[in-house]
Each structure stands twice: as structure tokens, then as C-alpha cells.
Amino acid sequence: MLVLAAVLILVALGIWLFCLFEVLSTNEGQTRHLPKFAWFLIVLLGFELGAVAWLLFGRRRGFVTADVTAWPPDFLLSGEGSRGEPAAPAPLGPDDDPEFLRQLDRRLRGDDQD
């Protein structure tokens, strides 16, 4: 019986902490009915009742999708820059650069005059 009570207390504490951190991480414009600070105080002081109130009435429902209008244009265009020109090629690693491989081969053979 004592173990069950301890588990229930831990679950209640976990739900409360989850709601408290969720209120803190939510943008001001995404809270419903009250300002973010008011929700923070309700969850902090109301413990489980405040957490349930936040879950039911305060947080935004459904999935929050990313605002793609805030992304840079280069991210949205695949293979092209923001003005329509081709994007710069990705940098090559040393083992993919033919000039580096030629220089390395010359050094290994002792032909390097540096």
C-alpha cells in the first residue's frame, strides 16, 4: 500500500512538473484565456488542480506546426539560392578533392619540392 502511494505521489509530481515547464516554454501568444504569467502562477500554486486546468484550458490544442514563413528562403528552395541562382556546391572532404590527392601522391613519392 505504501508503494502504491509513493508511485501515485511521483506521478502527480511528474505531471505537475511537466505542466510547469510546459507553461514556461510556451510562447505568450499560444496560451488560451489568460496571460502566460497567470497560468504559471495557477500551475505553481494550484499544484494538481492548476496542472489539470492548464491541460484543459490553457494550452493550445492539437499539433503546433512550424511556421515555415520564418525559415530562410535558402532552406525552402532545394538546390537553388534565394534569388534562383544555383546554390554553392557543398565543400569537399580532403579525400574527395582531386588536387589534394595529387599533392599527397607527389609528397609520398618524394617529388614535392617545397
Side-chain angles (χ1 to χ4, degrees):
M1 192 66 162
L2 187 61
V3 173
L4 180 63
V7 168
L8 290 176
I9 289 172
L10 287 176
V11 167
L13 183 65
I15 292 171
W16 179 70
L17 285 174
F18 168 78
C19 290
L20 196 61
F21 287 122
E22 190 178 52
V23 169
L24 288 174
S25 65
T26 301
N27 292 335
E28 182 73 35
Q30 292 180 337
T31 59
R32 295 186 309 154
H33 303 296
L34 295 172
K36 179 179 174 176
F37 184 72
W39 279 116
F40 175 74
L41 289 178
I42 289 171
V43 173
L44 182 67
L45 301 175
F47 194 62
E48 283 304 307
L49 291 177
V52 169
W54 166 253
L55 292 174
L56 294 177
F57 305 114
R59 74 185 220 170
R60 190 173 195 170
R61 292 185 186 197
F63 293 107
V64 178
T65 58
D67 181 16
V68 295
T69 59
W71 292 353
D74 290 343
F75 185 81
L76 298 174
L77 300 173
S78 59
E80 293 184 356
S82 59
R83 293 179 195 85
E85 72 271 3
L92 296 174
D95 56 341
D96 292 332
D97 185 8
E99 181 61 31
F100 174 78
L101 293 174
R102 277 192 291 275
Q103 289 176 2
L104 183 62
D105 190 42
R106 274 189 262 141
R107 281 190 214 156
L108 290 174
R109 285 186 284 154
D111 295 343
D112 193 19
Q113 301 299 328
D114 291 351

